[in-house]
Amino acid sequence: MSEFREQGMSCDKTRWFVPFVCLLAGGALIGVSTNLAKYAGEIDLTPLAFLFWSITGASIILLVIALLRNELPPLNKRSFEYYLVAALVSVAGSNLIFFSAIPQVGAGFVALIIALPPLLTYLGALALRMERFNALRAFGVAAALAGAGVLAARKFSAPDASVFWVLLALCGPVLLAIGNLYRTLRWPDNASPSALAPGMLIAAAVLLGIVSILPNFSLAIPPKAFGPLALITAQAFIFAGQFLLLFLLQKTGGPVLLSLLGAVGAVVGVPVAIFLQGETPPEGLFLGASLIALGVVLVTWGGVKMATLPTEDI
């Protein structure tokens, strides 16, 4: 019996290796993505155009993958609702806010505030009884939030900070937290991650296309310019990997671990913004990044501990 229990615990720990890898890889792609969005503004690509064409390209890539795996997106009333709502809060709305704010507040700041959803997601998951309370995970989420909060507070108090853009950018993490919970609660029956990801991105492209009808919004790409097309192509592949990993993490790790994607993105995105984009390092960077890293470790380890406990202990 003891040997069987040890084998079960080993299996549970192995099962948590997959979401942990998805967390690190997906977060890294988010960090790179925020910096590409800043560069897009420097070569005259509008946030909407860059986001629309990148999302469209990513949806095509993921749709081809789904076709090759014979896992086409489900087409029914439930799945259409899922695609539209998930696309609005998780892709179109949140990313349009972030990409629009980056030229005003910097890629480093946006990379940092994407680390804010964990507390909102964890509290929502507890309220909806999607998660059992675990002190280790709660402390980890609080640590990650505190780290991002230290950096965000310093940015907000800077003399050249734009209050409007800072506040608008802070709305993005709220949408991400809502999306984390919604996608888990409304996951269509028997649907695989590789089937749902392209459906969500296609819906996001449609929503962004509708936004382009409004005055002062355009999907135009600078003519006869190789740079914008190359950047859009790179971002399309990054989005494809990012959202495929997001759905895999959603399925294997749950909404709270998923919410830490932004924390990992901050750890990757801020150094890239500083060393490659020439941004000034945020004050309190070492303390904030250390707390975020601690949060990722504790939330992941807390999940492992919960998975290895017998049912009566949790």
Side-chain angles (χ1 to χ4, degrees), residues 248-309:
L248 287 171
L249 182 57
Q250 181 100 48
K251 192 69 172 177
T252 59
V256 176
L257 188 63
L258 174 75
S259 70
L260 287 174
L261 274 171
V264 179
V267 173
V268 174
V270 174
V272 172
I274 294 171
F275 295 110
L276 297 183
Q277 300 272 31
E279 292 190 2
T280 302
E283 295 184 23
L285 176 60
F286 178 77
L287 175 60
S290 298
L291 288 170
I292 289 170
L294 175 63
V296 172
V297 172
L298 291 178
V299 170
T300 304
W301 180 246
V304 173
K305 297 290 285 184
M306 289 181 70
T308 57
L309 286 174

Side-chain angles (χ1 to χ4, degrees), residues 22-308:
C22 289
L23 173 64
L24 295 181
L29 290 177
I30 290 175
V32 173
S33 176
T34 55
N35 282 277
L36 289 184
K38 179 180 180 179
Y39 183 66
E42 296 174 357
I43 59 175
D44 299 325
L45 263 176
T46 66
L48 180 63
F50 182 51
L51 185 58
F52 172 81
W53 293 112
S54 299
I55 289 293
T56 300
S59 66
I60 294 173
I61 293 169
L62 291 181
L63 190 58
V64 170
I65 293 174
L67 283 169
L68 293 175
R69 300 183 63 176
N70 197 27
E71 295 180 347
L72 291 176
L75 301 177
N76 52 57
K77 183 178 179 181
R78 169 74 176 278
S79 63
F80 283 137
E81 174 222 305
Y82 186 88
Y83 298 147
L84 287 173
V85 177
L88 177 62
V89 295
S90 302
V91 186
S94 54
N95 279 286
L96 187 56
I97 287 174
F98 291 139
F99 281 25
S100 299
I102 282 173
Q104 311 299 326
V105 299
F109 177 70
V110 170
L112 291 171
I113 64 171
I114 294 176
L116 293 176
L119 180 60
L120 295 175
T121 305
Y122 186 67
L123 293 176
L126 287 176
L128 296 171
R129 297 183 179 180
M130 298 166 64
E131 284 268 339
R132 296 183 179 92
F133 180 80
N134 176 273
L136 192 61
R137 301 194 90 188
F139 184 74
V141 169
L145 182 68
V150 166
L151 295 163
R154 297 294 179 89
K155 178 69 176 181
F156 194 81
S157 62
D160 60 341
S162 171
V163 175
F164 170 77
W165 284 106
V166 170
L167 290 176
L168 181 63
L170 289 172
C171 293
V174 177
L175 292 180
L176 290 178
I178 293 172
N180 292 340
L181 296 169
Y182 174 82
R183 288 193 310 275
T184 296
L185 286 171
R186 298 291 292 168
W187 189 286
D189 296 334
N190 302 319
S192 68
S194 57
L196 294 178
M200 184 183 74
L201 291 189
I202 291 171
V206 171
L207 292 174
L208 292 169
I210 293 173
V211 172
S212 70
I213 299 174
L214 300 174
N216 302 320
F217 287 93
S218 173
L219 301 179
I221 300 175
K224 299 181 181 180
F226 174 76
L229 291 176
L231 192 64
I232 288 171
T233 301
Q235 182 67 70
F237 279 97
I238 288 173
F239 269 150
Q242 175 185 323
F243 285 107
L244 183 58
L245 288 170
L246 179 146
F247 274 96
L248 287 171
L249 182 57
Q250 181 100 48
K251 192 69 172 177
T252 59
V256 176
L257 188 63
L258 174 75
S259 70
L260 287 174
L261 274 171
V264 179
V267 173
V268 174
V270 174
V272 172
I274 294 171
F275 295 110
L276 297 183
Q277 300 272 31
E279 292 190 2
T280 302
E283 295 184 23
L285 176 60
F286 178 77
L287 175 60
S290 298
L291 288 170
I292 289 170
L294 175 63
V296 172
V297 172
L298 291 178
V299 170
T300 304
W301 180 246
V304 173
K305 297 290 285 184
M306 289 181 70
T308 57

